[in-house]
Amino acid sequence: MKLKGYQVELRQVSEIDIEMLRKWRNDPEVSQFMLDRKPISREQQSAWYKKIQRDPGQIHFVISYRDQPIGAANLKARGLGKTLDTANAIEPGLYIADKRYRNNILAFAPTLLLNDYCFNTLGTARLLAVVKASNVAALNYNQKLGYKVENEGDLLEISLTHNNYLSATKQLRSLLSR
């Protein structure tokens, strides 16, 4: 599966990607923001890949810009036994591994593409995310997309509805569509 838009492409992870993804995920600059920061072994990565191939409740992508891989994204259905197309809520995840694109407008492109897919194609009612309260950059990023805080603590639960997304990102979507 491939999604294209906002100057990026998301293609479903294949077996040839798993070592690159493992290296990215084990990079301390990436893993510092993960809920689980433990290094991942080759065996763990292989087991993860086999698991996601059989799970209709999630999908994982490699993010490419100008035909170069720059990061990873995923979608997970929320709710026991739910698939992506039957879930009322979906949890997206993303990281930009390539440092050149972490703190610029292009970092929003894969998220916009995922959100459009979730709301317009899958018909989900809302998107949910869990963010470390200490991860100020992620909170600011998500608030620019229209996310609202639902539950506070060391981990914040945030949610996004289609209407909030459309109104918060109108200008951003226009800029990245050029």
Side-chain angles (χ1 to χ4, degrees):
M1 168 184 218
K2 284 186 184 177
L3 303 173
K4 281 186 164 187
Y6 305 108
Q7 303 178 41
V8 296
E9 178 181 280
L10 306 180
R11 67 169 173 75
Q12 193 165 353
V13 169
S14 66
E15 194 164 4
I16 62 168
D17 300 313
I18 64 174
E19 184 58 19
M20 174 184 67
L21 292 172
R22 186 180 79 84
K23 286 179 181 175
W24 285 350
R25 174 59 180 74
N26 284 342
D27 180 339
E29 287 190 33
V30 171
S31 66
Q32 69 179 320
F33 300 112
M34 303 290 177
L35 297 180
D36 181 359
R37 300 185 333 191
K38 294 181 205 123
I40 297 167
S41 70
R42 287 179 190 263
E43 295 76 20
Q44 288 170 311
Q45 188 75 351
S46 181
W48 166 81
Y49 179 73
K50 288 175 186 166
K51 178 184 174 229
I52 67 166
Q53 294 306 299
R54 301 184 308 269
D55 187 350
Q58 60 182 304
I59 187 167
H60 294 259
F61 299 97
V62 172
I63 304 164
S64 293
Y65 174 63
R66 295 185 175 165
D67 296 321
Q68 295 298 310
I70 65 165
N74 66 77
L75 299 172
K76 294 179 184 175
R78 294 284 294 255
L80 193 59
K82 294 289 187 180
T83 63
L84 286 171
D85 55 355
T86 64
N88 289 331
I90 293 175
E91 183 174 352
L94 166 126
Y95 62 84
I96 304 294
D98 190 319
K99 295 174 192 175
R100 295 174 294 174
Y101 305 112
R102 283 190 191 147
N103 295 312
N104 70 35
I105 194 168
L106 188 72
F108 286 98
T111 300
L112 296 174
L113 194 53
L114 282 177
N115 291 359
D116 287 353
Y117 177 71
C118 289
F119 289 126
N120 300 331
T121 303
L122 297 176
T124 191
R126 62 191 189 129
L127 301 178
L128 299 172
V130 176
V131 179
K132 289 180 176 182
S134 61
N135 191 348
V136 176
L139 289 171
N140 289 338
Y141 175 90
N142 284 305
Q143 287 172 335
K144 287 176 183 162
L145 294 165
Y147 275 89
K148 306 290 183 209
V149 176
E150 286 193 355
N151 293 311
E152 294 190 42
D154 290 340
L155 297 176
L156 301 176
E157 291 182 21
I158 58 177
S159 70
L160 180 65
T161 64
H162 195 200
N163 286 341
N164 286 351
Y165 167 66
L166 290 176
S167 71
T169 61
K170 185 175 183 177
Q171 185 176 12
L172 191 56
R173 286 181 289 115
S174 176
L175 284 170
L176 285 166
S177 292
R178 295 180 182 165

